[in-house]
Amino acid sequence: MIKKKKEIKNIRLAGKIAAKTLEMIENYIKPNINTETINNICHNYIIKKKAIPACLGYKGFPKSICTSINEVVCHGIPNKKDILKKGDIINIDITVIKNGYHGDVSKMFILGEKNHLGKKLCKAAQKSLYLSLKKIKPGVKINIIGETIQNYINKKNFSIVKNYCGHGIGKNFHEEPQILHYKNKKKMILKKGMVFTIEPMINIGSCEVETMEDNWTVKTKDRKLSAQYEHTILVTKTGCEILTYQSNEKIKPILIN
Ligand code: MF3
Ligand code: CO
Ligand code: CO
């Protein structure tokens, strides 16, 4: 699970391209655009950077990115018929491969100020991720992540999806270790050179989810809103480095914890 210098360099490169793709697409996220168009713009951008969209063909996934609107928790498939409207919240999840290594990132976009509860949910999901990042350093137990996220989300009276977790990442899209976003008893100790994602999915209502007939789209059972933020991070000597850092974030890219 400890990555070599050269591996880290390539994951950092992949992470940078994935993050830049999210920054680039922001201007297009407006009412009336459909998610297939969003997919195509991202796909072309990734190809132009001489990288590969990792989702395309992954276990048969048909598109290059995931677009998850409102009650869709994750793995939404870009589609001409999914047209954004005022008040929507949408997660865009982008994973790219560069020189054989993966970088994985996602964030929420909020259309219009009207959707107050949706905006609060997105803020809480992002803050839960940020709070967990501030705990990471060598020597601490891996379950500090889930504990930190759950303590905060409980306070906000939202719920945490338990069916999906963060993951080690590198040559493979998903590898060890598993990162749970809720309180757990995993005792693994974090070490310098580990690279993994943290990607909490937070619901307004119940934490229960179900997969649709397309075998990909995951929705909340109660059809209430869900929000997710994801970063790929490297455990450093003194804390962690956010390998998928975007320039508009209200946290530092290198955390001394
Ligand atoms: N990017 C997702 C993750 O964070 C995985 C998407 S898999 C796909 O792990 F096949 F749906 F693209
Ligand atoms: Co991921
Ligand atoms: Co992802």
Side-chain angles (χ1 to χ4, degrees), residues 11-193:
I11 302 169
R12 190 183 279 118
L13 256 176
K16 202 161 260 172
I17 295 167
K20 286 258 176 245
T21 311
L22 270 188
E23 288 180 18
M24 175 281 301
I25 202 64
E26 170 137 40
N27 278 312
Y28 296 91
I29 308 300
K30 293 188 185 121
N32 292 323
I33 193 167
N34 68 70
T35 54
E36 179 149 327
T37 303
I38 296 171
N39 174 82
N40 295 345
I41 296 167
C42 289
H43 178 95
N44 292 337
Y45 182 87
I46 292 164
I47 295 298
K48 213 177 66 194
K49 299 284 174 189
K50 300 194 188 313
I52 299 165
C55 292
L56 186 59
Y58 177 77
K59 296 185 176 172
F61 191 80
K63 298 286 178 177
S64 299
I65 62 169
C66 296
T67 50
S68 304
I69 304 171
N70 297 335
E71 74 278 8
V72 178
V73 176
C74 63
H75 304 165
I77 304 173
N79 185 304
K80 267 201 186 93
K81 289 181 195 154
D82 286 338
I83 300 166
L84 295 185
K85 57 182 193 304
K86 201 173 156 192
D88 281 347
I89 61 171
I90 177 174
N91 174 278
I92 299 187
D93 193 332
I94 297 176
T95 310
V96 313
I97 309 172
K98 181 73 175 176
N99 302 331
Y101 289 86
H102 293 73
D104 189 4
V105 66
S106 87
K107 70 167 282 192
M108 301 300 300
F109 295 92
I110 303 147
L111 284 91
E113 303 290 308
K114 271 203 153 173
N115 197 335
H116 287 301
L117 196 51
K119 199 172 180 177
K120 271 187 193 146
L121 178 71
C122 293
K123 275 203 151 184
Q126 185 180 43
K127 177 115 188 246
S128 75
L129 169 59
Y130 284 177
L131 288 172
S132 71
L133 295 178
K134 289 176 181 166
K135 297 285 169 75
I136 290 172
K137 60 179 168 188
V140 307
K141 278 187 266 159
I142 200 163
N143 65 358
I144 189 83
I145 296 167
E147 185 179 314
T148 304
I149 291 169
Q150 186 166 346
N151 282 340
Y152 179 71
I153 293 302
N154 283 356
K155 236 174 29 195
K156 293 280 159 183
N157 273 313
F158 296 133
S159 70
I160 303 164
V161 174
K162 297 187 176 59
N163 309 52
Y164 301 91
C165 44
H167 48 91
I169 184 166
K171 260 195 198 330
N172 303 298
F173 196 154
H174 298 107
E175 48 185 66
E176 291 294 309
Q178 243 190 13
I179 308 291
L180 304 181
H181 302 119
Y182 53 92
K183 279 188 189 163
N184 66 86
K185 296 207 154 79
K186 288 197 191 262
K187 286 182 168 47
M188 180 190 285
I189 305 289
L190 296 182
K191 293 199 170 76
K192 180 184 162 201

Side-chain angles (χ1 to χ4, degrees), residues 207-236:
C207 65
E208 298 273 295
V209 302
E210 59 188 1
T211 305
M212 299 297 102
E213 291 211 310
D214 61 16
N215 283 320
W216 281 108
T217 309
V218 177
K219 290 188 181 178
T220 54
K221 263 202 177 143
D222 59 15
R223 300 298 188 263
K224 293 184 183 172
L225 297 179
S226 184
Q228 180 184 28
Y229 282 79
E230 174 174 24
H231 269 313
T232 299
I233 70 113
L234 163 71
V235 181
T236 62

